[in-house]
Amino acid sequence: MRKHVWIVLVLAFALIAAACGGDDLEGTSVTVFGPESSEEEAGALQDALDILAERTGIDIVYTGARDFSDQINAQAIGGNPPDIAVFPQPGKVADFARQGLVIALPEDVADAATDNWPAAWNAFGIVDGTQYAIPTKTDLKSLVWYVPGSFEAKGYEVPETWDALKALSNEMIANGDTPWCVGIESGPATGWTFTDWVEDLMLRFHGADVYDQWVDHTIPFTDSRVEQAWNEVLDLWNTDGAVFAAGGTIAATPFGDNGQPLVDGKCLMHRQASFYSAFLPENTVTGPDGVDVFYFPAVDPANAPVLGAGTLVASFRDAPEVWEVMEYFSTAEYAEERQKAQAARKGGGDVLSGFLSAANGLDTSVYTPLEQSLVSILSGADVVRFDASDLMPAAVGGGSFWTEATSAVNGDKSVADALAAIDASWP
Amino acid sequence: MEKILEMVIGTLIAVGLSAVIFIGANLLFDLAPTRWEIFGAVAGGGLVLIFFFWLFGNRAITALEVGGGRNPTKIPWQAIVAAIVGGAVGFFLARLTDRNQRLMVGVGGGAVLGLILGLTLVEEARPRLDVGPTITGLVAGLVIGGAIMFLRKGTIRSLVLGGTLGFALGAWGGPGDGGTAAQAVIVSLIVGAGLGVYAGMAKVYTHKDRTMLSERARAIIFVAPALIFIGITLVIPTVRTIYLSLFNLAFFSQTAEREPYSTWTGIFGEPFFIAAVVLVLIGVGYGFYQGSRNGGGYKGNGISLGTYLGGATLFIFSLFIFTDTAEFVGGENYGNLFTDPNTINLSNWTDIFTSQLFQIGVVIALIGVLVGFVAGANRGQRFQSGGASTGSIAVGSFIGVFSLGTVLRGTIMNNLWWVFTVTILATVFGLAIAVLADRSAMESLAKSIIFMPMAISFVGAAIIWRFMYIARPEGEVQTGVFNAIWVWLGDVSGSGGSSAIAAGIMLVVVAMLGYLAYRGFSHNVPGVAWGSVITAIPFLWLAWRFIGPGLGADVEADTVKFLTESPFNNVWMMVVLIWIQTGFTMVIFSAAIKAVPAELIEAAKVDGATENQTFWSVVIPQIAPTIGVVVTTLIVLVMKVFDIPKVMTNGNFDTEVIANEMWQRAFTELDFGLGSALAVILFVSVLPIMYINIRRMQKAAA
């Protein structure tokens, strides 16, 4: 009989504990970890989360780290991951999902994601038919930043084709102007800027199908088409007088240090994604009267693909408060709140916030006219491809592709050697 | 605030819990002599409870879910039931004295516990009843248990334990996903019953035995936590790292499809298995050999036991190989590392002969040899070592070996270059400063300033120096201090008037240094003399550049790209570590020099020794042990250098070192096999140094 008493006691205790937990989220806490670490981005992300926190009583804390990709590996494999991670790489989400580290979305959250985002973007969070991650932010990569005023003063025209762009670059050099600002340094991720150029050109020269084959290694990295894209970029950069590198060499210049020289007129163009506005000097006016963007020209203007990127959130803990936050991440409300907060932190007015979202039902009035046009490109483009290095396995997309690119850019290795090394490292 | 509170409460709970366990264990063993049955019950129940909670914590057993929603409360009910069973078994084993009754209680209780376990294991944790692994495990366990029985004069108990554990290892450790529920129940039942037999066959404790147990346990209660702590933090990670280094990438990323394992008979062809058998046979043979020398029969000793342990380890390895053929690559990771040109690249070694630095080193060393012969001839000897000749040979050899680092590339070569350069320079600079500052007027101030970098973290220092090394494009304001000076020098030399003035100043400095050198040589103080000569060289060079080709336009156009130009970017990073470590070596040497007994120095002076002779023949031998400690400490520290390359270049531009590559492989690329192999290389290369250090400490203590 004594045994019986024990069991009853334990059950009673458990019932009390369960009652205390319940479904009330008041007092629970959720940690979010991501790569966005600048004051504006991280601050705005937290501001947007605070709105949910106030409504539900969940204590939500966002932490950002510049070396997110290394740290999330250590944390996840080491067994102390955050509750939610903001992944800039769908490839990483897929790796983690197959290793059973991130948790598949429960049905109701997956349904919310389907309602809140276009299918093309949701697809990046789906691994082997199951949705693990929700898009929260979208970047448009195929952009060139420039100052329309300088173009007008010197009589330069925005190019419509890749050949025109090269011609413009050469014309600028001939006139004694420096066409490009380039820097590929980015801590452990040094080299990604170069890979973006290559991806944009792969998509332009060889089309989406070859691009997909390249991403899943159906064609080797040493393929002549890949080599051609690399050489295209390096030839442009290595032309005498083509590049202003604020750090002395391209490889030693932090990618974020190109905003100031562009505004100062040290160079006339800078190819970088839409989020780059977060790196422009404070209170830079954007639009026709300040710093503007043009579409990174296609080889054939009739076939204009879009290279995109973005972040997805995936969860490491199965708890109602976590799913509540996940669901919030997918909503247009989150995007609007974050946009408002980020724009305010950047100085408001015509300043670009650096945040874009293609969420359904988004009230586009929170964006400046320039941003609205970017959003419409994002949600309307026929051919959208995600940043290839973010889709490749970590050993390549977060490793050899970057390091070997850095060697090639710095002239330490030939393109052929670098490509062979990357191909050899493919797992 | 909330976080701090949470942490404080957490710490208090942990400390409190440890205290409770500690006191509880003491109280428990107090019970042993007097209340044996209660001791048995609590010990049995406690052990089973801990075991089941361990499984529960690792999500290996199902739990009763109470409360709905997405986050129900989980109760490991079976742990409580099992603990009660375990307690009862412990109670009866302690009370009963009849052998058969005890066996029955043991088998019955063990089987019930096994049943509980088998029924509640989650699917992934279930064992498989495959013939291959289980039989192999069983046989291996029986062999090891039998060996222990044979050697330790044990009873048949060890055979039972060995067999049971071997069987369990085979069933749970074998390849494939979790088995069926029926298999889980059968395996758990067998293992439980086996362990029950083991417990039931324990001897009956007399009152004397109980008292002894309680006393012995006391010592273990104190030592065990320390041992467990060391085991958890040191031994397990080391063994695990070595183990992981034997697998390829597919083992870690489950994205790749695993290849099926070979049939279980394949193990007989595995080199590891054959080696294990050979080792064990050698051990047995050696045992009989020893026995024949001591009157026949078998006689075990440390050596034969060692071969058995080695054999068992190899056997376990061979098990892994044959279960995981595809992922287990043995030494392949190491082989790859040593053949990968990214790790060791000797292809340019012939460039050494065209390297100016190498030529300079050889010339200086040859001058030293020449000076030695000339000095020897003057004294009627063949070769006179000391002073100028030894110094030149040492400097020349250093430069020569150092220049090797500029042509041999790759991670491991880089690391060796670091170790060589930083260790020697930090030691020499520290010693020189300690000697020069000794007895000088501003000693404490000078030493404080030089010691200060020690207070800066490696990461902090790396960031500071990164700013100082910045190179901005031509025509821009140089924000890095070194390039600012460099470009300023260029500007000065570019304009006629200032260039003449600058050259004049340089020549005045050279003249003053020349006078100092002259004084040094004539007063037989070669240290000052050579120091002045060496210092004068760069000034002379600058003066020549100002007058002759000029530093002008070409300097301005050519900022020094400290961090991106291989191979000297490595050297610019080594400077940071030398800058930090010189303070450390200086302080240690300073203390050692001050500890040299004054009588010795006075005695040397009385005997007519010069300042120089006193230093080399009295002070240096006296502080030799200190130099040894400093050098070995530095070697270990530089070997694992990580922060500085990580922050300054992240291994780009030919500056990779072992520790950073380990990080890159393991955490960025998730190739823990290669990462672990690098860690093991680092560990093994540090071992001899640690051994030397420990030996010296033991000698000093003796």
Side-chain angles (χ1 to χ4, degrees):
Chain A
M1 271 301 108
R2 277 187 72 91
K3 267 189 203 172
H4 218 78
V5 174
W6 261 105
I7 294 169
V8 169
L9 271 178
V10 168
L11 286 177
F13 174 76
L15 277 175
I16 295 165
C20 290
D23 257 325
D24 184 9
L25 302 174
E26 183 80 39
T28 54
S29 67
V30 171
T31 55
V32 184
F33 181 50
E36 289 155 300
S37 55
S38 72
E39 195 269 329
E40 288 91 8
E41 291 177 294
L45 212 167
Q46 183 71 61
D47 288 348
L49 289 176
D50 283 346
I51 292 186
L52 178 74
E54 223 159 89
R55 194 159 63 214
T56 57
I58 307 172
D59 181 23
I60 314 170
V61 181
Y62 173 77
T63 331
R66 200 162 154 253
D67 58 346
F68 169 84
S69 55
D70 280 359
Q71 285 205 24
I72 193 67
N73 281 337
Q75 291 180 7
I77 307 244
N80 56 344
D83 295 334
I84 295 174
V86 184
F87 289 93
Q89 302 180 312
K92 182 101 257 165
V93 176
D95 282 356
F96 276 5
R98 293 192 182 111
Q99 290 173 36
L101 291 169
V102 292
I103 301 168
L105 301 183
E107 216 166 296
D108 50 339
V109 181
D111 289 346
T114 314
D115 290 345
N116 290 338
W117 278 82
W121 286 96
N122 260 327
F124 297 124
I126 295 175
V127 184
D128 304 334
T130 312
Q131 185 159 10
Y132 284 85
I134 307 171
T136 60
K137 176 188 157 193
T138 48
D139 296 314
L140 183 56
K141 290 217 159 189
S142 308
L143 291 179
V144 177
W145 293 83
Y146 76 118
V147 180
S150 321
F151 265 49
E152 222 164 278
K154 310 239 176 181
Y156 299 130
E157 296 267 323
V158 169
E160 298 281 328
T161 64
W162 170 246
D163 287 330
L165 182 72
K166 285 203 285 193
L168 174 66
S169 182
N170 289 331
E171 187 191 342
M172 286 175 175
I173 298 170
N175 292 348
D177 293 325
T178 309
W180 298 99
C181 272
V182 187
I184 64 167
E185 201 275 346
S186 178
T190 298
W192 67 262
T193 314
F194 174 79
T195 65
D196 277 8
W197 276 76
V198 168
E199 288 153 12
D200 244 338
L201 288 187
M202 281 297 287
L203 210 48
R204 276 161 178 66
F205 276 101
H206 309 299
D209 290 341
V210 175
Y211 186 87
D212 293 341
Q213 289 165 10
W214 176 51
V215 166
D216 58 24
H217 209 221
T218 333
I219 60 171
F221 230 101
T222 45
D223 191 278
S224 60
R225 288 167 288 195
V226 183
E227 192 169 347
Q228 183 251 348
W230 279 55
N231 284 327
E232 234 9 92
V233 178
L234 287 177
D235 289 348
L236 182 72
W237 289 5
N238 290 338
T239 312
D240 268 345
V243 169
F244 176 89
T249 57
I250 292 174
T253 305
F255 78 96
D257 285 5
N258 293 308
Q260 188 71 50
L262 182 71
V263 173
D264 293 348
K266 305 270 188 207
C267 62
L268 295 171
M269 293 181 284
H270 178 53
R271 186 221 158 274
Q272 193 50 276
S274 53
F275 66 74
Y276 203 73
S277 50
F279 292 88
L280 293 175
E282 242 169 81
N283 299 321
T284 304
V285 180
T286 50
D289 303 324
V291 180
D292 206 346
V293 291
F294 62 79
Y295 171 74
F296 189 66
V299 175
D300 167 19
N303 169 26
V306 165
L307 183 68
T311 57
L312 302 105
V313 285
S315 156
F316 287 90
R317 183 159 69 97
D318 187 8
E321 61 268 24
V322 175
W323 297 122
E324 185 76 29
V325 178
M326 288 283 285
E327 199 171 323
Y328 176 68
F329 263 123
S330 76
T331 58
E333 184 194 358
Y334 163 76
E336 286 159 16
E337 293 299 341
R338 167 136 186 220
Q339 163 61 15
K340 277 190 244 166
Q342 198 154 324
R345 279 167 184 269
K346 285 292 287 180
D350 264 350
V351 173
L352 295 191
S353 69
F355 176 80
L356 283 182
S357 171
N360 293 335
L362 184 78
D363 173 13
T364 48
S365 68
V366 294
Y367 286 116
T368 62
L370 174 59
E371 286 168 331
Q372 286 173 15
S373 65
L374 299 180
V375 171
S376 67
I377 295 177
L378 274 174
S379 37
D382 334 324
V383 180
V384 182
R385 281 296 176 273
F386 211 91
D387 188 325
S389 62
D390 295 342
L391 295 169
M392 291 172 180
V396 177
S400 56
F401 195 4
W402 290 343
T403 53
E404 296 298 330
T406 306
S407 295
V409 170
N410 207 42
D412 299 335
K413 263 193 189 168
S414 70
V415 170
D417 285 352
L419 290 175
I422 299 173
D423 199 56
S425 75
W426 197 288
Chain B
M1 200 55 227
E2 210 173 301
K3 287 256 167 192
I4 297 173
L5 202 68
E6 231 168 65
M7 207 176 72
V8 170
I9 293 173
T11 316
L12 282 180
I13 289 176
V15 170
L17 214 61
S18 312
V20 167
I21 291 173
F22 185 74
I23 296 168
N26 268 305
L27 287 179
L28 178 63
F29 281 98
D30 275 344
L31 281 179
T34 49
R35 308 242 172 117
W36 183 239
E37 291 94 347
I38 295 182
F39 171 79
V42 176
L47 279 178
V48 172
L49 193 68
I50 289 171
F51 177 69
F52 271 83
F53 263 91
W54 173 66
L55 291 179
F56 173 62
N58 285 293
R59 294 178 195 155
I61 53 176
T62 56
L64 195 64
E65 297 191 352
V66 180
R70 284 163 176 165
N71 197 15
T73 310
K74 290 179 176 169
I75 305 165
W77 61 273
Q78 57 285 76
I80 292 147
V81 177
I84 293 165
V85 176
V89 172
F91 179 83
F92 283 110
L93 281 180
R95 162 159 280 188
L96 298 172
T97 48
D98 180 72
R99 193 183 154 86
N100 290 334
Q101 283 178 353
R102 286 161 61 83
L103 255 181
M104 272 171 62
V105 169
V107 174
V112 171
L113 287 175
L115 193 68
I116 296 174
L117 176 68
L119 285 172
T120 60
L121 276 175
V122 298
E123 207 176 322
E124 300 87 65
R126 280 184 198 148
R128 290 174 69 94
L129 202 56
D130 292 344
V131 180
T134 47
I135 297 293
T136 333
L138 180 66
V139 172
L142 285 176
V143 168
I144 294 172
I148 290 170
M149 182 176 86
F150 195 49
L151 290 169
R152 285 285 166 93
K153 304 223 159 43
T155 58
I156 197 158
R157 270 183 93 210
S158 36
L159 208 60
V160 174
L161 182 67
T164 312
L165 291 183
F167 177 75
L169 192 73
W172 266 282
D177 298 331
T180 62
Q183 283 177 334
V185 170
I186 295 169
V187 170
S188 305
L189 255 178
I190 295 174
V191 171
L195 290 177
V197 171
Y198 176 74
M201 281 164 72
K203 69 170 177 174
V204 179
Y205 276 68
T206 62
H207 186 76
K208 204 176 125 200
D209 292 333
R210 297 172 197 172
T211 318
M212 250 174 70
L213 174 77
S214 135
E215 274 165 16
R216 274 204 210 146
R218 216 63 65 168
I220 293 173
I221 293 173
F222 279 108
V223 179
L227 285 180
I228 291 172
F229 184 72
I230 292 175
I232 290 173
T233 56
L234 208 69
V235 180
I236 293 179
T238 310
V239 173
R240 212 179 130 70
T241 307
I242 296 174
Y243 170 67
L244 290 183
S245 73
L246 304 175
F247 290 89
N248 68 5
L249 183 60
F251 180 76
F252 302 101
S253 60
Q254 293 169 11
T255 46
E257 200 62 36
R258 289 193 175 192
E259 284 177 36
Y261 61 95
S262 52
T263 55
W264 68 276
T265 46
I267 194 165
F268 296 117
E270 283 296 340
F272 276 96
F273 179 80
I274 296 165
V277 171
V278 169
L279 256 185
V280 169
L281 286 179
I282 289 174
V284 171
Y286 188 78
F288 277 109
Y289 167 71
Q290 286 291 329
S292 71
R293 284 179 38 169
N294 292 303
Y298 174 90
K299 191 170 186 311
N301 62 5
I303 293 176
S304 46
L305 189 66
T307 59
Y308 297 146
L309 287 179
T313 316
L314 287 179
F315 173 71
I316 292 170
F317 267 13
S318 68
L319 268 184
F320 285 122
I321 300 174
F322 108 92
T323 52
D324 274 324
T325 336
E327 290 92 3
F328 187 96
V329 293
E332 202 181 293
N333 282 329
Y334 296 93
N336 287 346
L337 278 179
F338 282 103
T339 48
D340 184 354
N342 277 328
T343 325
I344 299 179
N345 184 355
L346 310 178
S347 60
N348 292 333
W349 71 275
T350 45
D351 288 357
I352 190 72
F353 300 115
T354 51
S355 153
Q356 285 183 9
L357 208 58
F358 182 74
Q359 291 161 357
I360 291 171
V362 170
V363 167
I364 294 179
L366 286 179
I367 289 175
V369 173
L370 199 68
V371 169
F373 277 115
V374 170
N378 287 348
R379 298 217 182 169
Q381 296 165 342
R382 284 194 65 192
F383 184 83
Q384 166 93 8
S385 65
S389 70
T390 316
S392 297
I393 293 172
V395 170
S397 318
F398 173 79
I399 296 176
V401 177
F402 173 82
S403 65
L404 275 175
T406 62
V407 294
L408 305 180
R409 301 260 44 93
T411 307
I412 292 179
M413 288 296 129
N414 255 349
N415 227 83
L416 292 177
W417 197 22
W418 270 82
V419 169
F420 176 79
T421 313
V422 175
T423 306
I424 291 186
L425 289 185
T427 310
V428 169
F429 289 156
L431 187 58
I433 293 165
V435 172
L436 294 176
D438 196 38
R439 286 175 286 162
S440 78
M442 308 263 267
E443 182 181 352
S444 51
L445 179 69
K447 287 208 297 198
S448 308
I449 290 173
I450 292 163
F451 189 66
M452 244 177 247
M454 266 304 271
I456 301 174
S457 73
F458 284 3
V459 171
I463 293 172
I464 295 170
W465 280 80
R466 213 175 110 131
F467 280 126
M468 299 207 281
Y469 282 149
I470 283 179
R472 304 250 299 136
E474 177 192 351
E476 294 295 309
V477 176
Q478 294 296 332
T479 52
V481 66
F482 294 112
N483 273 311
I485 294 174
W486 185 236
V487 169
W488 172 77
L489 280 174
D491 288 347
V492 168
S493 71
S495 53
S498 353
S499 132
I501 295 170
I505 293 172
M506 296 300 152
L507 286 177
V508 170
V509 173
V510 170
M512 281 161 66
L513 285 168
Y515 175 70
L516 257 184
Y518 166 74
R519 281 278 305 255
F521 281 120
S522 60
H523 287 73
N524 201 14
V525 194
V528 173
W530 282 106
S532 311
V533 170
I534 292 168
T535 321
I537 292 172
F539 285 100
L540 206 60
W541 178 76
L542 277 178
W544 174 70
R545 289 296 295 264
F546 278 130
I547 303 166
L551 289 156
D554 65 320
V555 168
E556 206 179 312
D558 232 10
T559 48
V560 184
K561 277 134 193 122
F562 287 99
L563 290 179
T564 50
E565 238 160 9
S566 175
F568 277 94
N569 46 5
N570 284 294
V571 181
W572 303 125
M573 298 202 304
M574 292 176 204
V575 168
V576 182
L577 194 54
I578 295 171
W579 178 72
I580 296 175
Q581 287 301 320
T582 299
F584 160 74
T585 56
M586 176 204 67
V587 168
I588 309 244
F589 284 137
S590 198
I593 288 171
K594 289 197 192 305
V596 174
E599 308 90 76
L600 282 178
I601 300 189
E602 271 166 35
K605 292 220 170 111
V606 169
D607 288 342
T610 61
E611 189 86 352
N612 202 21
Q613 283 170 325
T614 317
F615 177 72
W616 289 108
S617 308
V618 179
V619 176
I620 289 287
Q622 282 287 314
I623 65 169
T626 313
I627 297 179
V629 171
V630 166
V631 167
T632 46
T633 315
L634 278 179
I635 290 177
V636 173
L637 181 130
V638 185
M639 195 83 86
K640 57 193 170 103
V641 63
F642 169 72
D643 327 43
I644 294 173
K646 178 91 195 160
V647 171
M648 295 182 86
T649 61
N650 192 37
N652 280 313
F653 324 122
D654 278 348
T655 59
E656 193 69 294
V657 289
I658 296 177
N660 193 46
E661 182 162 359
M662 174 183 89
W663 171 281
Q664 185 83 15
R665 299 285 194 193
F667 298 114
T668 306
E669 300 171 13
L670 288 181
D671 188 345
F672 282 98
L674 221 49
S676 302
L678 282 158
V680 172
I681 289 176
L682 208 53
F683 174 65
V684 169
S685 49
V686 168
L687 273 185
I689 318 287
M690 298 305 276
Y691 176 75
I692 292 169
N693 243 352
I694 291 169
R695 277 298 294 274
R696 207 194 16 253
M697 276 199 296
Q698 282 172 339
K699 259 193 214 157

